Amino acid sequence: MEPKIVTTTSVFPKGYSAQKAIEILSAIGFDALDMAFDYWVYSKESPFLSDNYLKWAEELRELSEKQGIPYTHSHCPGGADSGDIIGRTIKAASILGARYMVLHPMYREEDQSEITDPERFIKLNAEYTRPWIEEAVKHDIIILSENLDTGASIDPRNIAELVREIDSENFGWCFDVGHANCFGYKPDILTKCEIVPLSLHIHDNYGDYDDHYIPGKGNVDWNEFTQVLKKTGYCGDCVLEAHSQAKEAQENERPAILSALLDAGKEIRKNMSV
């Protein structure tokens, strides 16, 4: 089956109508959606934080399926140490139909110092994540950790090792291309991770800041990236997390930016299969 071209819903500002986002992204031509739940904790008035959040999720699923653009991925607010919001996100993601849920690893100690030791990083994240695996199994959700931009989390190999440590069919990892590029990890780092990621966060930058640009607007070598993906046997979706340009645009400018994002996704998908 051809990989879906998925976009994060964070291409819209926080609080932007989820219903309107579905309609716009469907009309532009994306295959599926990655629900940015982390954009729905902006205030106590958020429908995601209300008592009726599951009804809200059900209504969004009905609309997205009617529009032919289902939710397949989601992003949990906070990290592995964020407590009850993780359970709320698992339940909402399940209602949406978004089977893959990215959960950032925890990267700071209780005193807010960075966790730089890989063994400590893996140990703590395994301890904080394992209690949520049973909930993930219950709701048919696969939790994905991802490489971030601080401490031991920057090395994708540490994220892959966390997957090995937890050892569950309901836990895997997401390779964030832009984050890796910020720390000099070229796409071939995937060949050293041994465990193949189950998802991707695709966006670009110039290696000095986490810009989340459309692929082709930075210095990531996308040809190398797609060639490495084929070597690893990756068979998941093409998940675009290039939100900054669209999110910051004026309403009338956004459709053209999103169309350019879709075109970039199509090019990457084509090269993944060539």
Side-chain angles (χ1 to χ4, degrees):
M1 181 180 294
E2 189 175 51
K4 290 183 174 65
I5 298 178
V6 184
T7 180
T8 173
T9 57
S10 63
V11 291
F12 298 98
K14 293 179 180 179
Y16 191 92
S17 167
Q19 291 83 354
K20 188 174 181 180
I22 290 169
E23 293 169 357
I24 291 172
L25 295 171
S26 172
I28 287 171
F30 290 97
D31 297 324
L33 301 174
D34 176 2
M35 169 55 94
F37 283 113
D38 47 331
Y39 272 46
W40 287 99
V41 291
Y42 59 91
S43 81
K44 295 179 180 178
E45 306 304 315
S46 166
F48 175 55
L49 299 181
S50 75
D51 292 339
N52 296 319
Y53 75 101
L54 294 181
K55 184 176 185 296
W56 174 69
E58 186 175 350
E59 290 172 351
L60 293 181
R61 177 172 184 163
E62 289 175 359
L63 178 59
S64 67
E65 291 180 348
K66 181 180 178 181
Q67 294 285 335
I69 185 169
Y71 290 96
T72 54
H73 295 68
S74 73
H75 202 308
C76 185
D81 54 343
S82 294
D84 291 345
I85 195 70
I86 300 173
R88 176 175 287 253
T89 308
I90 288 172
K91 292 173 184 175
S94 179
I95 295 293
L96 282 180
R99 193 172 188 219
Y100 295 100
M101 186 195 85
V102 168
L103 173 65
H104 282 174
M106 60 180 295
Y107 50 85
R108 295 188 185 279
E109 299 278 7
E110 289 185 6
D111 64 2
Q112 296 304 301
S113 61
E114 287 187 3
I115 304 171
T116 56
D117 177 65
E119 290 187 10
R120 174 73 174 165
F121 173 81
I122 292 164
K123 178 178 181 293
L124 282 177
N125 274 286
E127 287 178 2
Y128 275 90
T129 304
R130 278 197 181 101
W132 295 108
I133 297 298
E134 183 177 347
E135 190 77 359
V137 171
K138 178 180 175 182
H139 293 282
D140 195 26
I141 293 294
I142 297 175
I143 299 174
L144 304 177
S145 190
E146 76 167 295
N147 52 302
L148 295 179
D149 57 0
T150 188
S153 74
I154 69 172
D155 192 334
R157 289 167 294 191
N158 292 335
I159 309 300
E161 189 59 35
L162 175 61
V163 176
R164 191 191 309 278
E165 176 67 22
I166 290 180
D167 190 24
S168 168
E169 292 182 358
N170 287 76
F171 186 78
W173 75 289
C174 168
F175 177 59
D176 190 300
V177 188
H179 292 168
N181 192 56
C182 282
F183 296 94
Y185 293 109
K186 302 304 180 184
D188 67 354
I189 189 67
L190 279 171
T191 64
K192 303 171 185 176
C193 289
E194 298 183 4
I195 296 176
V196 181
L198 298 181
S199 187
L200 306 167
H201 277 171
I202 297 172
H203 54 99
D204 213 335
N205 59 58
Y206 287 98
D208 56 352
Y209 188 74
D210 186 22
D211 294 300
H212 285 259
Y213 288 153
I214 293 172
K217 300 297 182 180
N219 64 9
V220 172
D221 187 332
W222 294 103
N223 181 60
E224 180 188 4
F225 171 69
T226 53
Q227 295 306 308
V228 169
L229 273 186
K230 287 190 287 186
K231 288 180 182 178
T232 65
Y234 177 80
C235 55
D237 289 330
C238 203
V239 185
L240 300 162
E241 202 187 34
H243 53 65
S244 62
Q245 291 154 283
K247 180 181 65 177
E248 295 165 5
Q250 297 296 314
E251 187 80 2
N252 64 331
E253 299 171 337
R254 192 172 290 121
I257 295 171
L258 292 173
S259 293
L261 176 59
L262 176 60
D263 288 343
K266 287 180 178 178
E267 184 67 16
I268 289 173
R269 180 173 68 181
K270 181 185 75 173
N271 292 334
M272 283 168 59
S273 59
V274 171

